[in-house]
Amino acid sequence: MAVRLEYDAAVARGKRPSATATEPASVPAADRAADPGGHSAEPPAELPEPGKPRGTRAAAPSDDEEPAPVTSAVNIDELLAYPQLLNHLPTPLAREAGDALLARLAALEAGTAEHSYVRGLLVELNLPMVRHAAGRYRRRGEPVEDIVQVGTIGLIKAIDRYEADRGSSFMAYAMPTIIGEIKRFFRDTSWSVRVPRRLRELRTELLRATDELTATLGRTPTPRELAERIGITEEEVVEGLDACTVYTATSLDETAYGDAEGQETVGDRLGAEDHELDLVEYREALRPLLAELPGRERAILVMRFYGNLTQAQIGERVGISQMHVSRLLARTLASLRERLMVPS
C-alpha cells in the first residue's frame, strides 16, 4: 500500500510511468490488466473523474493532455503505519489526510502514546504553513528558524484547541493563531526599548515604504518623500525613524563603524561623564559674590581653594598670622553661604 500511495502521488503530479516501467509489486492483482501479447503490465487505473462512479477506469491521457485531477480518499490507518508518505502527498490529499488525522485525534484521550503520535504527525504535516507565515517576518532581525519555532508553538496550540464541529477549516483557524504567536514573540522579546504600539506599527509602514521608494527612485528616500507616500507629517516620520533605532541594541564591545583596523569599539567613542558639570551652577552663583569681596579676603580664598596653600603659607604671603587667616576664612565662607541661601 505504501508503494501504491507513492505511485498515485506521482500520477497526481502529472508524471506518467514510462512504457517499459513495470508496476510495483505491492499493487493488488485486481488492479493489473495482463496484456495478451505478453507486453509489460499497464499502470494501475487512475482514480475516477469527478461525477463518475468509483471503480470506473478512466482513459489514459495522451502525452499532450493534462492529467485529470485526483480525488481520492486516504486510508488513515495506513498513513499512520507509514508516516513518511505524508511528505509525498499532493495538496488535495494532504488536506484530506489532515482532516482525517484531526478527526482521529479528537477521538483519542489526551496524554496517551497514540494521541502524542497523531499530534506529532499533524504538526509535521502543517509545518509548510508555519514556514509560509514565518517568511513574512524574515526581515525583522531575528533568525528565520527561531521564528519557525515560535510559529510551531502556535500550530500546536491550534491543534489542541481546534473543534471541527464549529464549521471552520483547520487552516482558517490555525493561521491567525500562528501569526498571533509570532507577533507576541516580537512584542515581548525583540524590542530593546518598549515603544508605543503606534510607533511599532509606523515602523512597519516605514520599512515597506522605504523598500518601495528605494526600488523606484534608486536611492534612499528622504523623510519628506516617506511622509508623502504614507500620508503623515514629516515630524511623525522622524519619530518613527527614531523608534526604528531602538528595535535592537548595539553592544558596546562591537567594532565601531568606519574603523578599518577593527580595534576601536562603540564604547570607546562614547563620551565620559564630566563631574565638573555639577559645579557649573555653583560657580555661576558665586561669581558676583566673589567680585564684591574685599581684595584681601578674595586673595585668601583663591590661595586656599585654588592654590591649595595651607593657612600658614597664606599667612606668610599676606603678612598675618595663621590664626588670623583662619578667622578670615571662617567669616568669609559664612557670609558667602548666607548670601547664597537668600533668594535673588
Side-chain angles (χ1 to χ4, degrees):
M1 180 59 189
V3 179
R4 176 59 182 272
L5 281 175
E6 293 180 359
Y7 192 92
D8 290 345
V11 173
R13 292 192 295 267
K15 298 180 179 179
R16 295 183 58 202
S18 60
T20 58
T22 58
E23 190 178 44
S26 61
V27 178
D31 289 337
R32 295 197 297 267
D35 191 294
H39 299 290
S40 59
E42 295 179 14
E46 294 186 283
L47 297 171
E49 299 178 1
K52 292 186 178 181
R54 186 175 296 276
T56 304
R57 183 180 298 274
S62 60
D63 293 336
D64 55 352
E65 291 180 351
E66 294 293 332
V70 179
T71 57
S72 171
V74 294
N75 190 322
I76 187 62
D77 294 323
E78 296 188 358
L79 283 179
L80 292 176
Y82 302 97
Q84 63 273 17
L85 297 180
L86 292 174
N87 299 326
H88 303 284
L89 291 177
T91 301
L93 293 182
R95 292 179 180 175
E96 189 175 347
D99 294 338
L101 288 173
L102 286 169
R104 177 64 64 88
L105 184 69
L108 298 175
E109 182 180 356
T112 61
E114 187 176 1
H115 183 277
S116 301
Y117 178 68
V118 176
R119 185 189 187 203
L121 290 181
L122 277 169
V123 172
E124 183 178 356
L125 183 64
N126 290 279
L127 274 181
M129 179 170 56
V130 177
R131 295 192 180 95
H132 174 74
R136 298 169 54 182
Y137 301 90
R138 62 183 181 274
R139 297 190 57 197
R140 293 292 189 92
E142 297 291 336
V144 177
E145 289 302 321
D146 292 351
I147 304 176
V148 170
Q149 290 183 11
V150 175
T152 305
I153 296 176
L155 173 62
I156 295 174
K157 291 181 179 180
I159 293 174
D160 294 339
R161 300 170 184 173
Y162 176 69
E163 298 178 6
D165 53 1
R166 292 185 176 271
S168 62
S169 65
F170 177 72
M171 181 177 295
Y173 175 79
M175 185 60 76
T177 307
I178 294 171
I179 294 178
E181 195 70 26
I182 294 175
K183 288 183 177 180
R184 189 178 300 110
F185 165 74
F186 282 106
R187 182 194 66 190
D188 296 338
T189 61
S190 296
W191 287 86
S192 301
V193 178
R194 291 292 183 90
V195 298
R197 181 176 181 179
R198 173 182 61 85
L199 293 179
R200 293 201 301 266
E201 295 175 351
L202 179 59
R203 174 185 178 273
T204 304
E205 296 181 7
L206 286 174
L207 291 177
R208 186 183 304 111
T210 301
D211 291 342
E212 295 174 355
L213 290 176
T214 301
T216 303
L217 303 175
R219 56 175 175 81
T220 304
T222 63
R224 177 175 297 179
E225 293 170 341
L226 289 172
E228 294 175 354
R229 183 60 176 262
I230 301 176
I232 58 178
T233 63
E234 191 171 349
E235 289 75 13
E236 290 175 329
V237 171
V238 174
E239 187 180 11
L241 293 176
D242 290 340
C244 295
T245 61
V246 300
Y247 182 73
T248 55
T250 302
S251 174
L252 296 179
D253 296 329
E254 184 178 346
T255 303
Y257 177 76
D259 184 13
E261 299 180 357
Q263 299 178 354
E264 188 178 18
T265 63
V266 175
D268 296 335
R269 295 190 174 184
L270 296 179
E273 183 179 359
D274 189 358
H275 299 285
E276 297 294 327
L277 291 176
D278 298 335
L279 304 177
V280 171
E281 182 180 358
Y282 300 125
R283 289 177 177 176
E284 293 300 318
L286 279 173
R287 187 184 302 275
L289 300 181
L290 292 175
E292 298 175 0
L293 291 176
R296 186 175 63 173
E297 282 78 356
R298 186 167 59 251
I300 291 175
L301 288 177
V302 171
M303 286 185 287
R304 178 68 184 91
F305 295 103
Y306 291 93
N308 292 324
L309 300 179
T310 63
Q311 294 182 2
Q313 292 172 338
I314 296 174
E316 293 178 358
R317 293 193 178 187
V318 179
I320 58 177
S321 65
Q322 181 266 333
M323 186 64 66
H324 195 183
V325 172
S326 177
R327 288 196 296 266
L328 288 176
L329 280 174
R331 185 177 63 187
T332 304
L333 293 176
S335 175
L336 292 174
R337 190 179 298 110
E338 182 180 358
R339 296 175 65 183
L340 281 175
M341 300 300 294
V342 176
S344 58

